[in-house]
Amino acid sequence: FKGEKRDHWLASQTAVASLSALVLLNIGGALGTLGWHGPFLMYASALLMMAGVVFFTWEVGPGDKPHETANEAGASAPFPWMRMAGICAVTIFASVMFYAVQIETGVGLHEHGVVDPRTLGWMTSVASLGVPVGTLVCRYADRLPTAALLLLEFAILGGGFIGMSHAPGVNGFLAAAAVNQVGAGMI
């Protein structure tokens, strides 16, 4: 896919992954009642993904022609090392910010007195609802220049982190985590 069609596909993939997290975080919380090793049973879900790859993907046949090869598209242009280094740095930083909430929400909620693994999983999934919301918001905000859009996205992420660190209770913590996840969905 190229252009707008590619952007739509990537946004759809992000939304589906985020919605899947709602289910998987709750299952992980329930598995947590089996002990510390219980949530690791979630890795068995990779078998379902493997089945999906086997049955729903295919190789391009010898008669199929790609639209354009990499050599044809950029044969005369040098590889943009500096631009790619910047893109990689932003991507890594954004990934850390995204997963920090996914991984550490349980710790933050525990500090507010929530200790039941099922409740932790459910509350983490509620906060992660912000990701698909952010994906939808970004469809309208993508008219902004890239630098302004990144500034907005990281400001929302940062605002969520600040809110979580100053939340007086569970509800405030979850609201701030959801705001953070809106920024994550936009990114």
Side-chain angles (χ1 to χ4, degrees):
F1 300 112
K2 293 184 180 185
E4 191 174 314
K5 196 171 184 182
R6 179 179 181 271
D7 293 343
H8 177 72
W9 177 255
L10 289 173
S12 298
Q13 182 271 334
T14 301
V16 168
S18 300
L19 293 174
S20 299
L22 294 173
V23 174
L24 297 175
L25 288 168
N26 282 294
I27 292 171
L31 291 172
T33 62
L34 300 175
W36 68 267
H37 59 281
F40 288 97
L41 292 171
M42 287 299 298
Y43 288 112
S45 66
L47 296 173
L48 292 173
M49 287 183 250
M50 182 182 72
V53 168
V54 169
F55 293 111
F56 299 111
T57 62
W58 57 91
E59 287 290 328
V60 176
D64 298 330
K65 284 182 136 181
H67 295 293
E68 182 177 57
T69 65
N71 287 341
E72 292 169 348
S76 63
F79 188 79
W81 288 105
M82 292 305 291
R83 181 167 186 211
M84 287 306 295
I87 290 170
C88 288
V90 169
T91 301
I92 290 169
F93 184 71
S95 297
V96 170
M97 296 298 101
F98 175 83
Y99 285 109
V101 172
Q102 302 296 324
I103 294 168
E104 297 296 331
T105 297
V107 175
L109 289 169
H110 193 270
E111 291 293 319
H112 287 286
V114 180
V115 294
D116 178 57
R118 284 189 187 129
T119 305
L120 290 169
W122 177 79
M123 288 183 166
T124 302
S125 70
V126 167
S128 71
L129 280 172
V131 175
V133 170
T135 302
L136 293 172
V137 168
C138 194
R139 292 189 69 140
Y140 300 103
D142 70 348
R143 292 173 183 87
L144 293 172
T146 302
L149 186 58
L150 284 171
L151 179 64
L152 174 64
E153 294 162 348
F154 281 117
I156 293 170
L157 277 168
F161 281 126
I162 291 168
M164 286 185 283
S165 69
H166 291 76
V170 173
N171 292 337
F173 183 88
L174 285 177
V179 167
N180 174 281
Q181 293 297 275
V182 169
M186 290 178 72
I187 286 180

